[in-house]
Amino acid sequence: MQRALRLLEAVASHTDGAPAKQLAREAGLPLPTAYHLLRTLTHEGYLRRESGVFVLGEAVARLAGGSALQNRRSKIESSLAHWRDTIGVPVYFAVYRDGEIELISVSDTPSVPAVDEWADFRETGHAHAIGQCLLSQLDEPARRDHLDRHPVRAITPYTVRDGRTLLERLRTTERMQPVVERQEYALGTVCAAIPVTAGSTAATMAISVPTHQEQRLLPAVERLRGEVGRLFSSLVFSISI
């Protein structure tokens, strides 16, 4: 693997590509070994041979894209951990993608545990702040489509009872305002979610606290809103994952 990587580095240093003999020399490899590795890398799509020289292939771009994806995920996770420690509550990040609610990351600790996902978040978006916040950012046809696929059902005694009531609640939700949910998904827990929209992607940041600490909820979510705004303005945060 080390020898193959040295060859890739050698190819990458030549914008217009380079022949096998030159690459072998630059990578410090015997020519037969270089030929064997170059053939393998070409077969796997990491290199292409054009007019007698080797250039980088499409697989290298996918590899770089995967690295960038991991980098973005790491930034999100470290940001969530920072907010968790600063605000002292569990922090969640989710997006609405391809017609489904996708919980990307959760940051909590034993002393401030996250809500136990005892019912699938994708199927119970009507019952938790994350789902309600994401659905509030969709247009009416998209909301109805989601609820047709994931009908409203009682999760706790406090869960919204039917789709018509939920749709009316979503219509009256003020744009870019926090969505608060009290024990609709998990007894003993209150949650708040703030909308985070970039382009056509709906996303949300959310927090949760035990019901006996409900007085902490709104001050904490307002603080989170300020933190998220500053992070967006610094261009560090990305939801393109």
Side-chain angles (χ1 to χ4, degrees):
M1 182 179 293
Q2 289 177 336
R3 292 179 295 183
L5 289 173
R6 291 208 303 270
L7 277 174
L8 285 174
E9 289 173 352
V11 174
S13 68
H14 298 280
T15 304
D16 298 321
K21 289 183 179 180
Q22 182 178 354
L23 294 171
R25 184 171 62 253
E26 293 178 359
L29 298 174
L31 188 56
T33 301
Y35 272 128
H36 171 71
L37 290 173
L38 289 168
R39 283 195 298 268
T40 301
L41 290 168
T42 300
H43 176 74
E44 296 296 331
Y46 292 99
L47 296 177
R48 297 196 320 273
R49 190 171 186 180
E50 297 180 351
S51 303
V53 299
F54 291 90
V55 297
L56 295 178
E58 293 182 359
V60 172
R62 293 196 299 271
L63 191 63
S67 176
L69 172 62
Q70 184 59 45
N71 186 47
R72 289 196 295 271
R73 285 185 179 274
S74 296
K75 287 180 179 178
I76 289 172
E77 290 169 359
S78 63
S79 296
L80 264 59
H82 165 73
W83 295 328
R84 176 202 67 206
D85 296 339
T86 299
I87 304 173
V89 295
V91 183
Y92 312 74
F93 174 60
V95 299
Y96 195 83
R97 180 158 50 200
D98 298 328
E100 298 294 348
I101 294 166
E102 186 175 344
L103 185 62
I104 299 295
S105 186
V106 180
S107 187
D108 66 347
T109 67
S111 60
V112 285
V115 176
D116 180 32
E117 190 180 346
W118 68 277
D120 192 330
F121 264 32
R122 293 170 299 179
E123 298 178 3
T124 57
H126 62 282
H128 48 72
I130 287 173
Q132 292 175 22
C133 186
L134 291 172
L135 291 174
S136 73
Q137 298 176 62
L138 306 180
D139 59 25
E140 188 79 4
R143 292 173 188 166
R144 291 183 178 276
D145 173 72
H146 182 91
L147 295 178
D148 285 343
R149 290 180 289 108
H150 303 297
V152 171
R153 59 188 176 91
I155 304 297
T156 77
Y158 302 94
T159 306
V160 63
R161 288 307 179 193
D162 57 71
R164 183 169 58 183
T165 302
L166 176 64
L167 287 170
E168 182 59 30
R169 180 193 296 182
L170 295 174
R171 291 189 200 104
T172 58
T173 299
E174 294 186 33
R175 179 173 172 78
M176 304 312 290
Q177 291 302 306
V179 174
V180 178
E181 164 262 304
R182 295 175 173 86
Q183 303 191 84
E184 293 184 53
Y185 177 79
L187 293 176
T189 302
V190 293
C191 302
I194 57 174
V196 180
T197 305
S200 61
T201 303
T204 183
M205 307 290 301
I207 61 174
S208 61
V209 297
T211 50
H212 68 274
Q213 297 180 11
E214 184 173 351
Q215 73 279 1
R216 298 179 57 207
L217 188 70
L218 291 182
V221 81
E222 286 302 319
R223 188 170 181 183
L224 180 62
R225 289 177 75 184
E227 293 276 348
V228 170
R230 282 190 290 273
L231 191 57
F232 262 115
S233 63
S234 71
L235 301 180
V236 173
F237 193 75
S238 171
I239 64 175
S240 301
I241 67 175

